[in-house]
Amino acid sequence: MSKNVVVVGAQWGDEGKGKIVDWLTESVQGVVRFNGGHNAGHTLVINGKKTILRLIPSGIMHPHVKCYIGNGAVVSPQALLAELDELERHGVDAEDRIFVSGHCPLILPYHVALDHAREASLGDRKIGTTGRGIGPAYEDKVARRAIHVNDLLDPELFAEKVRRNCELINFMLVNYYKAEPVNSEEIIENILKLAPRIVNKICDVSCTLNEAMAKGDQFLFEGAQGTMLDIDHGTYPFVTSSNTVAGSAASGAGVGPQKLNYVLGITKVYCTRVGEGPFPTELFDEVGETLRTRGNEVGAVTGRPRRCGWFDGAALRRSVEWNGLSGLAVMKLDVLDGLETVRLGVGYEYKGQKLDVMPVGADALYQCTPIYEDFPGWTESTFGVTRWEDLPENARRYLNRLSEVAGCPIAVISTGPDRSQTILMHNPFN
């Protein structure tokens, strides 16, 4: 009987999902991306060699595995093909192992133009998007004017839809945002040049996955961004434009939820956030800078420095609830090595009350003050440790309390960026 695992970011993204998906891919026949676009950066380090993936699932580094982009994701033709070319330059033949749902909405240049114009108009109230057109593409999907991958099969229909959408987009760009209009004919010409390579990858992802599962094949479902950026549940309006929680794996890939057997939440032993929005445990001192430097906390896609802070247990407890997490993969333990004191957020003070879980929405979270428990640090190095018993006693104590506060068992501990630098407490596929 097949077993399928969903991997989601349990914080604000950038938790290290790429490494864990790559590491678990040895147990599956396929990896499925079910939300987001090329605004997500997944960094893999294999035998010391770094590869950054954005839209293509992290399992692509395994030559036996097929990778699928489900209908819940949005696809930039230029970004997808550029990423395939980049993989080829790294010696990874991925061209015939990538399959794309025909019902994925396309991200087109006018989405990017609108994204930039909107952020510029917001000034100090900007959301902090990556500027890659993700939000406007999802807006078109909800407004029922999206252009899908399948539309590339009919050039005349594709051109007609682009012209119609550009009329609306240009009206907003010129008259509201006072920005330059886009050239619809140029967009049509450039995208149709790429179309033959894209349409070769069109696949009925839902049907393919369900048939393969019936034969006993196992799959990983890879989420993008993090739980706290979910459009419905996150720190709204400082969120992404898709559902990032585990439940969206079912709708974003076209499989029944009963076929998703285990949900693994990825979390760092501290917190980071990119872009704007509330961050209760954020540090502005030397410790925050130490976390940023040691953890190499720079956005894989944007290159922006990440905001860093202590671990937030109240936020993670919410993540456990929203995702129905079966287990945690705790990342970057080695970054805390050598700190005299390690702090762990266990709740908030909010309007004179104590909260054990993160409140919903940005406005309430801005008013929360974290409640901490302090733990003695450890001087021993945890880098590359592969057995629980070999971790320093203080590190084990901290991790046990982290699990207790979150209300979820630890399945995996990462002690370095490489595949091999991992402690397995429980295999999600067992």
Side-chain angles (χ1 to χ4, degrees):
M1 182 178 177
S2 67
K3 188 169 186 179
N4 305 300
V5 174
V6 183
V7 175
V8 293
Q11 297 170 308
W12 278 282
D14 308 305
E15 301 93 347
K17 296 180 290 296
K19 170 184 172 173
I20 296 301
V21 170
D22 170 70
W23 187 67
L24 290 173
T25 295
E26 293 179 357
S27 301
V28 302
Q29 285 69 52
V31 181
V32 187
R33 175 74 176 274
F34 59 83
N35 76 302
H38 63 298
N39 55 337
H42 295 164
T43 303
L44 312 179
V45 180
I46 302 167
N47 298 325
K49 185 177 180 181
K50 181 187 288 188
T51 301
I52 297 176
L53 299 172
R54 299 165 184 85
L55 181 62
I56 293 174
S58 302
I60 197 65
M61 306 303 287
H62 295 255
H64 73 283
V65 167
K66 295 178 180 178
C67 289
Y68 302 87
I69 299 174
N71 58 275
V74 286
V75 173
S76 161
Q78 298 97 324
L80 175 60
L81 298 183
E83 199 165 325
L84 282 167
D85 293 340
E86 185 179 349
L87 283 169
E88 186 177 356
R89 287 192 294 271
H90 280 73
V92 179
D93 184 9
E95 193 76 36
D96 297 329
R97 295 187 292 118
I98 291 288
F99 303 90
V100 182
S101 168
H103 212 56
C104 287
L106 289 170
I107 303 172
L108 296 170
Y110 57 77
H111 293 124
V112 179
L114 185 58
D115 204 352
H116 283 286
R118 181 175 295 153
E119 280 285 273
S121 74
L122 290 172
D124 293 340
R125 297 178 292 112
K126 66 181 180 180
I127 303 299
T129 76
T130 59
R132 283 163 168 75
I134 312 296
Y138 275 112
E139 287 178 42
D140 278 2
K141 174 181 177 177
V142 175
R144 289 168 287 193
R145 57 173 174 262
I147 300 176
H148 295 95
V149 171
N150 271 338
D151 290 320
L152 295 174
L153 293 167
D154 187 336
E156 289 187 10
L157 178 63
F158 171 78
E160 178 187 334
K161 289 186 174 183
V162 170
R163 292 186 186 108
R164 187 188 313 140
N165 282 359
C166 281
E167 287 183 14
L168 173 63
I169 297 296
N170 280 336
F171 181 84
M172 290 192 290
L173 286 173
V174 173
N175 295 288
Y176 186 79
Y177 294 111
K178 311 303 179 187
E180 291 296 315
V182 296
N183 186 322
S184 60
E185 299 309 310
E186 187 177 292
I187 291 172
I188 293 165
E189 180 182 357
N190 290 338
I191 298 299
L192 287 179
K193 285 179 182 177
L194 306 177
R197 198 169 160 199
I198 299 287
V199 298
N200 283 338
K201 305 182 189 315
I202 292 177
C203 168
D204 185 335
V205 171
S206 172
C207 185
T208 301
L209 296 179
N210 280 285
E211 288 180 355
M213 289 176 190
K215 296 175 183 176
D217 285 357
Q218 300 190 138
F219 292 89
L220 270 175
F221 291 79
E222 178 183 24
Q225 290 91 35
T227 295
M228 302 307 158
L229 297 179
D230 185 274
I231 185 67
D232 287 315
H233 301 288
T235 51
Y236 192 91
F238 303 99
V239 291
T240 193
S241 302
S242 62
N243 287 110
T244 59
V245 295
S248 61
S251 59
V255 300
Q258 80 277 14
K259 295 182 180 179
L260 306 174
N261 309 108
Y262 189 102
V263 182
L264 184 65
I266 318 300
T267 177
K268 292 173 183 169
V269 290
Y270 53 95
C271 280
T272 64
R273 180 165 194 166
V274 173
E276 310 301 319
F279 185 1
T281 64
E282 185 172 8
L283 293 169
F284 302 95
D285 58 8
E286 185 179 332
V287 175
E289 188 56 39
T290 297
L291 296 177
R292 185 178 298 109
T293 302
R294 286 190 191 170
N296 191 27
E297 296 297 351
V298 178
V301 168
T302 63
R304 291 182 290 185
R306 295 175 186 143
R307 301 155 64 189
C308 295
W310 293 117
F311 179 82
D312 189 333
L316 192 60
R317 192 178 291 112
R318 269 291 192 191
S319 188
V320 171
E321 293 176 353
W322 287 336
N323 291 295
L325 295 184
S326 312
L328 297 172
V330 181
M331 313 298 288
K332 294 196 172 183
L333 178 63
D334 56 294
V335 174
L336 300 183
D337 291 355
L339 294 180
E340 185 176 340
T341 301
V342 180
R343 310 196 85 183
L344 191 151
V346 296
Y348 305 127
E349 284 194 10
Y350 173 68
K351 295 185 176 181
Q353 295 181 316
K354 180 183 176 183
L355 300 181
D356 292 327
V357 297
M358 188 185 79
V360 176
D363 293 340
L365 195 56
Y366 271 126
Q367 301 176 61
C368 289
T369 302
I371 300 170
Y372 290 114
E373 291 180 5
D374 289 352
F375 291 80
W378 50 92
T379 57
E380 307 95 318
S381 173
T382 64
F383 186 78
V385 172
T386 57
R387 298 195 322 148
W388 171 262
E389 296 80 8
D390 294 336
L391 289 176
E393 182 180 349
N394 285 350
R396 295 199 303 268
R397 186 180 298 124
Y398 174 78
L399 290 170
N400 282 331
R401 181 58 177 150
L402 183 155
S403 174
E404 184 179 39
V405 170
C408 189
I410 294 175
V412 179
I413 302 166
S414 176
T415 57
D418 202 275
R419 251 185 213 166
S420 62
Q421 296 165 331
T422 308
I423 300 172
L424 179 63
M425 308 287 284
H426 171 72
N427 189 333
F429 285 101
N430 286 345

